[in-house]
mmCIF file of all heavy atoms in Angstrom:
data_model
loop_
_atom_site.group_PDB
_atom_site.id
_atom_site.type_symbol
_atom_site.label_atom_id
_atom_site.label_comp_id
_atom_site.label_asym_id
_atom_site.label_seq_id
_atom_site.Cartn_x
_atom_site.Cartn_y
_atom_site.Cartn_z
ATOM 1 N N GLU E 42 -2.045 15.317 -8.626
ATOM 2 C CA GLU E 42 -0.750 15.567 -9.259
ATOM 3 C C GLU E 42 0.296 14.558 -8.780
ATOM 4 O O GLU E 42 1.041 13.987 -9.586
ATOM 5 C CB GLU E 42 -0.274 16.988 -8.973
ATOM 6 C CG GLU E 42 1.056 17.310 -9.645
ATOM 7 C CD GLU E 42 1.341 18.788 -9.747
ATOM 8 O OE1 GLU E 42 0.810 19.572 -8.930
ATOM 9 O OE2 GLU E 42 2.108 19.164 -10.655
ATOM 10 N N ASN E 43 0.332 14.304 -7.488
ATOM 11 C CA ASN E 43 1.314 13.362 -6.954
ATOM 12 C C ASN E 43 0.954 11.916 -7.306
ATOM 13 O O ASN E 43 1.834 11.088 -7.535
ATOM 14 C CB ASN E 43 1.420 13.536 -5.437
ATOM 15 C CG ASN E 43 2.027 14.878 -5.064
ATOM 16 O OD1 ASN E 43 2.558 15.584 -5.914
ATOM 17 N ND2 ASN E 43 1.944 15.235 -3.807
ATOM 18 N N PHE E 44 -0.357 11.626 -7.339
ATOM 19 C CA PHE E 44 -0.820 10.300 -7.736
ATOM 20 C C PHE E 44 -0.444 10.020 -9.195
ATOM 21 O O PHE E 44 -0.065 8.899 -9.548
ATOM 22 C CB PHE E 44 -2.334 10.221 -7.536
ATOM 23 C CG PHE E 44 -2.937 8.875 -7.829
ATOM 24 C CD1 PHE E 44 -2.370 7.703 -7.335
ATOM 25 C CD2 PHE E 44 -4.104 8.777 -8.582
ATOM 26 C CE1 PHE E 44 -2.943 6.460 -7.589
ATOM 27 C CE2 PHE E 44 -4.690 7.543 -8.830
ATOM 28 C CZ PHE E 44 -4.109 6.385 -8.343
ATOM 29 N N THR E 45 -0.525 11.042 -10.027
ATOM 30 C CA THR E 45 -0.143 10.888 -11.436
ATOM 31 C C THR E 45 1.336 10.535 -11.561
ATOM 32 O O THR E 45 1.723 9.708 -12.393
ATOM 33 C CB THR E 45 -0.448 12.180 -12.222
ATOM 34 O OG1 THR E 45 -1.850 12.463 -12.120
ATOM 35 C CG2 THR E 45 -0.061 12.040 -13.693
ATOM 36 N N HIS E 46 2.149 11.153 -10.730
ATOM 37 C CA HIS E 46 3.581 10.830 -10.730
ATOM 38 C C HIS E 46 3.784 9.360 -10.367
ATOM 39 O O HIS E 46 4.557 8.639 -11.017
ATOM 40 C CB HIS E 46 4.318 11.725 -9.739
ATOM 41 C CG HIS E 46 5.804 11.591 -9.783
ATOM 42 N ND1 HIS E 46 6.485 10.593 -9.103
ATOM 43 C CD2 HIS E 46 6.753 12.307 -10.437
ATOM 44 C CE1 HIS E 46 7.776 10.702 -9.321
ATOM 45 N NE2 HIS E 46 7.972 11.749 -10.125
ATOM 46 N N TYR E 47 3.080 8.912 -9.353
ATOM 47 C CA TYR E 47 3.161 7.502 -8.931
ATOM 48 C C TYR E 47 2.727 6.569 -10.065
ATOM 49 O O TYR E 47 3.384 5.556 -10.330
ATOM 50 C CB TYR E 47 2.274 7.311 -7.705
ATOM 51 C CG TYR E 47 2.049 5.876 -7.312
ATOM 52 C CD1 TYR E 47 2.996 5.175 -6.563
ATOM 53 C CD2 TYR E 47 0.874 5.212 -7.684
ATOM 54 C CE1 TYR E 47 2.782 3.850 -6.199
ATOM 55 C CE2 TYR E 47 0.652 3.894 -7.323
ATOM 56 C CZ TYR E 47 1.613 3.216 -6.588
ATOM 57 O OH TYR E 47 1.397 1.901 -6.240
ATOM 58 N N LEU E 48 1.616 6.906 -10.726
ATOM 59 C CA LEU E 48 1.127 6.078 -11.827
ATOM 60 C C LEU E 48 2.128 6.041 -12.976
ATOM 61 O O LEU E 48 2.346 4.988 -13.593
ATOM 62 C CB LEU E 48 -0.227 6.603 -12.322
ATOM 63 C CG LEU E 48 -1.398 6.503 -11.326
ATOM 64 C CD1 LEU E 48 -2.622 7.233 -11.876
ATOM 65 C CD2 LEU E 48 -1.729 5.044 -11.039
ATOM 66 N N SER E 49 2.753 7.171 -13.259
ATOM 67 C CA SER E 49 3.738 7.223 -14.345
ATOM 68 C C SER E 49 4.972 6.397 -14.019
ATOM 69 O O SER E 49 5.480 5.657 -14.871
ATOM 70 C CB SER E 49 4.145 8.677 -14.618
ATOM 71 O OG SER E 49 3.030 9.436 -15.015
ATOM 72 N N VAL E 50 5.461 6.511 -12.778
ATOM 73 C CA VAL E 50 6.626 5.745 -12.345
ATOM 74 C C VAL E 50 6.359 4.248 -12.457
ATOM 75 O O VAL E 50 7.240 3.462 -12.830
ATOM 76 C CB VAL E 50 7.017 6.117 -10.898
ATOM 77 C CG1 VAL E 50 8.018 5.123 -10.315
ATOM 78 C CG2 VAL E 50 7.592 7.524 -10.848
ATOM 79 N N ASN E 51 5.114 3.841 -12.163
ATOM 80 C CA ASN E 51 4.760 2.418 -12.158
ATOM 81 C C ASN E 51 3.992 1.989 -13.405
ATOM 82 O O ASN E 51 3.479 0.862 -13.454
ATOM 83 C CB ASN E 51 3.931 2.103 -10.909
ATOM 84 C CG ASN E 51 4.730 2.259 -9.631
ATOM 85 O OD1 ASN E 51 5.508 1.392 -9.267
ATOM 86 N ND2 ASN E 51 4.557 3.391 -8.951
ATOM 87 N N ASP E 52 3.928 2.894 -14.407
ATOM 88 C CA ASP E 52 3.229 2.611 -15.663
ATOM 89 C C ASP E 52 1.812 2.085 -15.400
ATOM 90 O O ASP E 52 1.398 1.047 -15.911
ATOM 91 C CB ASP E 52 4.012 1.604 -16.510
ATOM 92 C CG ASP E 52 3.492 1.543 -17.948
ATOM 93 O OD1 ASP E 52 2.869 2.531 -18.385
ATOM 94 O OD2 ASP E 52 3.687 0.502 -18.610
ATOM 95 N N GLY E 53 1.075 2.838 -14.577
ATOM 96 C CA GLY E 53 -0.270 2.407 -14.216
ATOM 97 C C GLY E 53 -1.322 3.448 -14.553
ATOM 98 O O GLY E 53 -1.031 4.536 -15.050
ATOM 99 N N TYR E 54 -2.579 3.076 -14.270
ATOM 100 C CA TYR E 54 -3.729 3.945 -14.500
ATOM 101 C C TYR E 54 -4.601 3.891 -13.251
ATOM 102 O O TYR E 54 -4.715 2.837 -12.617
ATOM 103 C CB TYR E 54 -4.516 3.503 -15.736
ATOM 104 C CG TYR E 54 -3.651 3.464 -16.978
ATOM 105 C CD1 TYR E 54 -2.942 2.308 -17.309
ATOM 106 C CD2 TYR E 54 -3.504 4.588 -17.780
ATOM 107 C CE1 TYR E 54 -2.114 2.268 -18.418
ATOM 108 C CE2 TYR E 54 -2.676 4.561 -18.900
ATOM 109 C CZ TYR E 54 -1.982 3.403 -19.215
ATOM 110 O OH TYR E 54 -1.158 3.375 -20.307
ATOM 111 N N THR E 94 2.903 19.168 -13.335
ATOM 112 C CA THR E 94 2.720 18.015 -14.215
ATOM 113 C C THR E 94 2.015 18.392 -15.516
ATOM 114 O O THR E 94 1.040 19.156 -15.511
ATOM 115 C CB THR E 94 1.918 16.912 -13.486
ATOM 116 O OG1 THR E 94 2.564 16.640 -12.247
ATOM 117 C CG2 THR E 94 1.868 15.637 -14.303
ATOM 118 N N ALA E 98 -0.240 13.954 -19.259
ATOM 119 C CA ALA E 98 0.010 12.899 -18.273
ATOM 120 C C ALA E 98 -1.181 12.770 -17.321
ATOM 121 O O ALA E 98 -1.603 11.656 -16.985
ATOM 122 C CB ALA E 98 1.282 13.194 -17.491
ATOM 123 N N ILE E 99 -1.744 13.926 -16.898
ATOM 124 C CA ILE E 99 -2.911 13.899 -16.021
ATOM 125 C C ILE E 99 -4.075 13.187 -16.713
ATOM 126 O O ILE E 99 -4.735 12.320 -16.142
ATOM 127 C CB ILE E 99 -3.342 15.329 -15.627
ATOM 128 C CG1 ILE E 99 -2.228 16.047 -14.850
ATOM 129 C CG2 ILE E 99 -4.647 15.313 -14.846
ATOM 130 C CD1 ILE E 99 -2.008 15.577 -13.445
ATOM 131 N N ARG E 102 -3.306 9.196 -17.378
ATOM 132 C CA ARG E 102 -3.130 8.283 -16.243
ATOM 133 C C ARG E 102 -4.348 8.200 -15.321
ATOM 134 O O ARG E 102 -4.532 7.194 -14.642
ATOM 135 C CB ARG E 102 -1.907 8.720 -15.416
ATOM 136 C CG ARG E 102 -0.587 8.616 -16.163
ATOM 137 C CD ARG E 102 -0.217 7.177 -16.426
ATOM 138 N NE ARG E 102 0.987 7.054 -17.243
ATOM 139 C CZ ARG E 102 1.501 5.896 -17.633
ATOM 140 N NH1 ARG E 102 0.912 4.753 -17.283
ATOM 141 N NH2 ARG E 102 2.585 5.860 -18.375
ATOM 142 N N TYR E 152 4.144 7.981 -0.114
ATOM 143 C CA TYR E 152 4.852 8.021 -1.396
ATOM 144 C C TYR E 152 6.076 8.921 -1.327
ATOM 145 O O TYR E 152 6.006 10.040 -0.817
ATOM 146 C CB TYR E 152 3.915 8.496 -2.502
ATOM 147 C CG TYR E 152 4.524 8.438 -3.885
ATOM 148 C CD1 TYR E 152 5.138 7.279 -4.345
ATOM 149 C CD2 TYR E 152 4.500 9.549 -4.720
ATOM 150 C CE1 TYR E 152 5.710 7.219 -5.609
ATOM 151 C CE2 TYR E 152 5.048 9.497 -5.992
ATOM 152 C CZ TYR E 152 5.657 8.334 -6.426
ATOM 153 O OH TYR E 152 6.229 8.280 -7.683
#
Side-chain angles (χ1 to χ4, degrees):
E42 182 162 25
N43 293 348
F44 184 47
T45 301
H46 187 276
Y47 169 81
L48 294 172
S49 299
V50 167
N51 294 281
D52 194 23
Y54 303 89
T94 307
I99 298 287
R102 295 292 175 181
Y152 186 51

